[in-house]
Amino acid sequence: MKEIKTDIIVAGGGLAGVCAAIAAAREGKTVALIQNRGVLGGNSSSEIRVWVCGATKHGVNRYARETGIMGELFLENQYRNPQGNVYHWDLLLLEKVKKEQNIQLFLNTEVTDVQMHSENRIAAVIAQTQAAENSYRFSAEYVIDCTGDGLVGAKAGAAFHMGRESQAEYGESLAPAEADQDLLGSTLLFYTKDVGEPVKFIAPPFAKKLTDTSILNNRTLKAADNGCAYWWIEWGGKLDTIHDNEAIRDELLAVVYGIWDHIKNSGEYDAATLDLEWVGTLPGKRESRRFIGDYVLTQQDIENQTLFEDRVAFGGWSIDLHPSTGMYTESAGARHVVADGVYHLPYRMLYSKNIENLFFAGRNVSASHVAFGTIRVMATCGILGEAAGTAAAFAIEQECSPREIYQTHLAAYQQRLLKNDASVIGLVNQDADDLVKQATVSVSSQLTRLDTSTNQLTKRALTQGVGLIFPYTGQKELRVLLEAQVATDLQVAFYETGRQENYIPENLLEETTLSVQGGGRQWVTIPLPQGPARNIFMEFKENPELAVFFSSKVLPGVLTFINDPIAELNQPELHDYVRKSAILYWTNQKINRQNLVFQTTAGTCYQGGALINGLVRPYGMPNLWVSEESSKEETITLNWEEAKTVSEIRLTFNDDVNEDIVNLHHHRTNFEVVPELIKAYEIWGEYQGARQLLVKETDNRVRHLVHDLNPQPFDKLIVKLLETNGSPVKSMYEIRVY
């Protein structure tokens, strides 16, 4: 048996494990990443092919895309893999892990046992590489269980739960009256292709005859559907999804071939030239063990968007509960509860309450069955992995337990996450070592006017309400471009958006009615309600006698919506939204990167001070410095009264976290690099009047960059922004200097 000793063991190479391993390695800790398959990515890999969903909820939540390591993966996949080829995704994950010199990767290696140092501390993890017949004993200070099923933690005796808790357990209205062992089931997916000529399909004897099942009564089959469009091929929730995994797979495979037999041979579908391209054989598992930490996330935390003091990540998917009978249910395929925006996730759900050196991340974290219904999506699992990996590295540095991080070192740990651009909402950079806090910051220009008018406009009749969000910082009025053939009235309502992470009409401020003259296109001036700086949601109420205009100009902090429930609400056979949040009725999915044509001043929103306000994503205000519209070079200058020794510069650019770029398998934008990202820039250092070029980049597509330098003194740093990837303005969240 080979002995492998590292600082940290990460068991499980899904997205949670990948992000945990990379995070810990980048903190300078050695990591053994153990994965029981030949590829990384878990449910997102080429073996299973589930879409990588997250807090954006397919674009429903605003400014909700993950940053940190998951965001880095999204942006790079967007560039390399716009077609969503799953094998390119496999390759990207493998490359990112192999790039980290502190990670030892063990593929096709199955954990078989755990050795304990004491009753509550893991000493080693025993594993075997299947084909190579190699056995290993992995030892480390800390273990992160990202196995999904929680294999390591279960063998170590970590407290866990399987099944649904009762309503009385956590006071959850969506929980059953009595506790039971029901789970969310597992899924097998398949893909087809048009081969251009007739092709036959002979069903195997074990294929299900769909007419003998209830599937055709409550599910919709479409010959053109592929992959996760068949998310509802789900079963096993009444079984033990761990120990009955093989039986679950056999039943799912029988149904997959039964579905294809029905599409090909029933005569009801235009499928003559369609052929099977790929059929999964490894079930995509939704639920099994959930560990118990110092905090158990509940339904109320999602609905109320609990602002945890120890928040280290966020989510945004709906509470998405499927019937345990899966595809054979007679009811809707899923029940959803939708919060009013993204919600926060606490650190205390990432470590065991009874095993002192065990972290966990992914779908096995400390949450009730109901809350698990939302945090189980993979991008959320990934950012929890980053938080756990960072925590394990931090615990080694501080020589403390996971619990002691919360009790004694919470603020410092959260600051480490912020420094690495992790997905945390509403925390401010308070890093005393950041030399920018001692500098004077000046910028070459700033955006002073919000104007979405262009030479090419699209007219839209006001047959549905239109919403507009913009950052209000004291503007007196706003002008909107309208068209009216006859005299009529424009009704406008003004709302606050409530919580700073929300972008829906919450509190009515006032309503107004304005007269619009007939005779065609015209600008109409609308007085704005006065008050403190905040996002204002303007509702232009339905009036078929009016038309509004849209343009393709995107400005930071400006969003346009249509009052139109999302498509899922119109499919009662598939979805049942038991709490219809206003967010579902105001969507800009159909007008992605389109804005209502309007004009107003920008107020004080986009000044250079935003670069040092400590926030690196929208939270209330955009928290973003934005230049005037120009193709010229823009500069940001940092001045110190006394020279500072500089060894590291961190830049956080604007990657428009409102854009849902998660294109793996199902979604594609019309650009490969987010237009707002700075493409070309230089960093110059100056000391006593002598200037030198420190960094020159000509083809950037990354949001967060770390530039290491040979330590040397500077009394001035100049960041020259030369070119964007397509945006008419240059923008940036933050500069840090160490």
Side-chain angles (χ1 to χ4, degrees):
M1 182 176 292
K2 298 182 179 181
E3 293 278 344
I4 306 294
K5 182 172 178 56
T6 56
D7 296 322
I8 296 166
I9 297 166
V10 177
L15 292 186
V18 166
C19 291
I22 292 174
R26 289 179 178 177
E27 288 295 302
K29 304 301 178 284
T30 57
V31 179
L33 175 57
I34 308 168
Q35 164 70 330
N36 66 347
R37 308 299 300 180
V39 293
L40 297 167
N43 279 337
S44 74
S45 75
S46 58
E47 289 190 310
I48 303 177
R49 306 191 183 194
V50 176
W51 296 340
V52 181
C53 300
T56 66
K57 190 169 170 54
H58 295 320
V60 171
N61 281 314
R62 313 303 355 140
Y63 300 114
R65 193 176 77 249
E66 294 79 8
T67 55
I69 296 169
M70 270 312 309
E72 180 182 325
L73 292 170
F74 285 152
L75 289 176
E76 188 62 16
N77 187 65
Q78 172 84 358
Y79 175 75
R80 295 189 187 190
N81 186 22
Q83 294 81 14
N85 185 318
V86 67
Y87 295 108
H88 294 322
W89 176 249
D90 286 350
L91 180 60
L92 175 61
L93 297 179
L94 183 62
E95 176 186 316
K96 287 290 185 180
V97 167
K98 283 183 170 291
K99 184 178 180 180
E100 299 297 332
Q101 296 182 354
N102 285 331
I103 298 177
Q104 295 182 62
L105 174 62
F106 297 85
L107 295 174
N108 293 311
T109 302
E110 186 81 52
V111 172
T112 58
D113 204 359
V114 170
Q115 295 177 349
M116 301 299 292
H117 178 76
S118 61
E119 182 180 352
N120 62 353
R121 186 172 183 85
I122 297 171
V125 170
I126 308 303
Q128 184 171 10
T129 302
Q130 297 161 3
E133 300 182 3
N134 288 327
S135 296
Y136 298 95
R137 183 182 186 272
F138 295 94
S139 59
E141 288 293 314
Y142 294 94
V143 179
I144 309 175
D145 188 336
C146 300
T147 61
D149 286 339
L151 174 64
V152 174
K155 285 185 173 293
F160 69 86
H161 184 76
M162 283 185 73
R164 302 189 299 179
E165 298 89 352
S166 68
Q167 289 185 0
E169 181 78 18
Y170 299 115
E172 297 172 309
S173 63
L174 294 175
E178 301 293 333
D180 57 38
Q181 294 300 302
D182 285 5
L183 301 166
L184 303 185
S186 304
T187 289
L188 278 183
L189 301 175
F190 68 97
Y191 277 80
T192 64
K193 64 179 179 180
D194 192 329
V195 298
E197 61 180 345
V199 58
K200 60 186 175 183
F201 176 70
I202 299 174
F206 61 80
K208 287 283 185 180
K209 193 70 174 175
L210 287 201
T211 53
D212 295 338
T213 74
S214 61
I215 290 175
L216 294 175
N217 298 332
N218 51 50
R219 296 294 181 268
T220 300
L221 299 187
K222 298 177 182 178
D225 277 351
N226 277 281
C228 274
Y230 284 109
W231 61 267
W232 51 262
I233 302 177
E234 178 182 8
W235 194 69
K238 288 288 188 181
L239 303 178
D240 183 326
T241 55
I242 297 173
H243 298 102
D244 296 328
N245 187 61
E246 299 301 292
I248 292 170
R249 180 206 59 210
D250 290 347
E251 183 74 9
L252 291 169
L253 201 59
V255 170
V256 165
Y257 284 121
I259 288 172
W260 189 238
D261 180 36
H262 190 76
I263 289 174
K264 285 290 291 185
N265 299 323
S266 67
E268 299 177 16
Y269 303 89
D270 182 14
T273 60
L274 294 180
D275 197 9
L276 284 174
E277 182 179 32
W278 174 86
V279 178
T281 57
L282 184 66
K285 195 177 296 184
R286 287 183 173 85
E287 184 179 12
S288 53
R289 298 184 183 99
R290 288 172 280 110
F291 290 118
I292 299 176
D294 277 355
Y295 189 87
V296 178
L297 193 76
T298 66
Q299 172 186 340
Q300 297 91 317
D301 293 323
I302 309 304
E303 291 182 340
N304 300 332
Q305 299 169 275
T306 303
L307 192 66
F308 295 103
E309 65 167 340
D310 61 330
R311 59 193 183 275
V312 294
F314 64 83
W317 195 257
S318 55
I319 298 177
D320 182 1
L321 301 175
H322 298 192
S324 58
T325 48
M327 58 200 170
Y328 296 134
T329 187
E330 297 291 344
S331 61
R335 303 177 74 221
H336 293 254
V337 167
V338 182
D340 289 334
V342 299
Y343 56 82
H344 306 272
L345 295 170
Y347 165 66
R348 286 165 292 160
M349 64 188 290
L350 298 182
Y351 61 88
S352 172
K353 74 173 187 178
N354 67 306
I355 303 298
E356 64 181 23
N357 64 337
L358 176 63
F359 293 91
F360 29 75
R363 60 180 178 83
N364 58 10
V365 297
S366 181
S368 71
H369 168 82
V370 173
F372 166 81
T374 168
I375 62 170
R376 62 187 174 84
V377 292
M378 280 185 281
T380 304
C381 290
I383 64 175
L384 289 173
E386 179 172 2
T390 305
F394 189 83
I396 291 174
E397 290 180 11
Q398 300 299 321
E399 298 182 346
C400 69
S401 69
R403 181 174 289 117
E404 287 171 334
I405 290 179
Y406 172 71
Q407 294 173 334
T408 308
H409 305 287
L410 178 61
Y413 161 56
Q414 289 175 316
Q415 288 298 311
R416 186 71 58 84
L417 289 170
L418 289 183
K419 184 177 181 180
N420 294 329
D421 196 36
S423 299
V424 191
I425 297 286
L427 290 179
V428 176
N429 170 14
Q430 295 178 333
D431 188 347
D433 294 330
D434 182 3
L435 297 175
V436 172
K437 294 184 176 298
Q438 304 172 38
T440 301
V441 181
S442 58
V443 294
S444 53
S445 75
Q446 67 187 49
L447 188 67
T448 59
R449 186 168 180 77
L450 297 175
D451 185 351
T452 57
S453 60
T454 63
N455 293 330
Q456 294 185 329
L457 304 179
T458 301
K459 183 169 71 173
R460 183 187 184 111
L462 199 56
T463 53
Q464 296 167 284
V466 171
L468 173 70
I469 282 182
F470 70 96
Y472 167 83
T473 56
Q475 298 95 318
K476 301 297 184 184
E477 61 187 26
L478 177 147
R479 300 203 311 158
V480 62
L481 185 62
L482 301 174
E483 184 174 283
Q485 300 306 319
V486 298
T488 187
D489 289 335
L490 171 66
Q491 293 181 296
V492 183
F494 300 90
Y495 295 86
E496 291 180 320
T497 59
R499 299 174 63 97
Q500 295 190 83
E501 55 267 56
N502 293 354
Y503 297 89
I504 60 170
E506 177 72 16
N507 304 312
L508 180 66
L509 295 172
E510 64 180 58
E511 296 181 285
T512 187
T513 300
L514 298 101
S515 297
V516 180
Q517 302 299 314
R521 188 177 298 192
Q522 58 196 283
W523 288 95
V524 174
T525 299
I526 306 170
L528 297 175
Q530 300 301 289
R534 58 201 160 172
N535 281 316
I536 285 186
F537 189 110
M538 295 179 64
E539 178 186 5
F540 298 85
K541 295 183 180 292
E542 175 185 330
N543 181 350
E545 294 181 329
L546 287 172
V548 293
F549 294 86
F550 290 88
S551 78
S552 60
K553 182 182 286 189
V554 175
L555 293 175
V558 173
L559 298 173
T560 299
F561 299 80
I562 298 296
N563 193 343
D564 183 23
I566 63 175
E568 285 88 339
L569 290 177
N570 300 320
Q571 300 178 21
E573 77 278 14
L574 297 183
H575 298 79
D576 174 19
Y577 281 87
V578 296
R579 180 184 182 217
K580 296 181 176 65
S581 163
I583 198 170
L584 296 176
Y585 290 89
W586 288 101
T587 173
N588 70 357
Q589 288 176 295
K590 293 184 176 63
I591 51 171
N592 204 19
R593 298 190 75 83
Q594 295 281 308
N595 269 316
L596 181 73
V597 174
F598 76 101
Q599 298 174 341
T600 188
T601 61
T604 59
C605 184
Y606 303 109
Q607 295 179 343
L611 291 163
I612 54 173
N613 77 350
L615 294 166
V616 290
R617 63 185 300 136
Y619 185 69
M621 291 284 100
N623 303 309
L624 189 70
W625 165 74
V626 183
S627 75
E628 63 185 5
E629 293 187 44
S630 171
S631 60
K632 70 179 181 67
E633 169 189 303
E634 298 286 348
T635 60
I636 302 165
T637 304
L638 309 177
N639 280 284
W640 289 275
E641 290 185 2
E642 296 182 359
K644 305 296 180 183
T645 300
V646 175
S647 59
E648 179 182 279
I649 300 172
R650 292 179 175 241
L651 308 177
T652 304
F653 292 127
N654 175 20
D655 63 336
D656 188 11
V657 292
N658 184 59
E659 183 67 53
D660 184 31
I661 65 168
V662 188
N663 66 337
L664 186 62
H665 315 323
H666 77 288
H667 173 64
R668 184 172 181 176
T669 62
N670 59 3
F671 51 82
E672 295 180 359
V673 180
V674 175
E676 284 74 17
L677 279 169
I678 298 297
K679 181 178 182 179
Y681 65 91
E682 297 173 351
I683 303 177
W684 292 78
E686 188 172 304
Y687 178 59
Q688 296 181 348
R691 182 175 295 188
Q692 61 175 299
L693 178 63
L694 304 176
V695 176
K696 182 179 180 65
E697 176 60 59
T698 59
D699 194 23
N700 176 60
R701 54 180 183 270
V702 177
R703 165 188 161 97
H704 182 70
L705 299 108
V706 180
H707 294 294
D708 294 317
L709 310 173
N710 293 323
Q712 53 190 305
F714 295 110
D715 49 38
K716 181 184 292 187
L717 288 177
I718 304 100
V719 180
K720 296 183 177 182
L721 305 180
L722 308 177
E723 183 183 1
T724 70
N725 280 282
S727 173
V729 298
K730 298 177 177 68
S731 53
M732 191 170 184
Y733 280 114
E734 184 180 67
I735 303 175
R736 291 188 183 214
V737 178
Y738 296 92

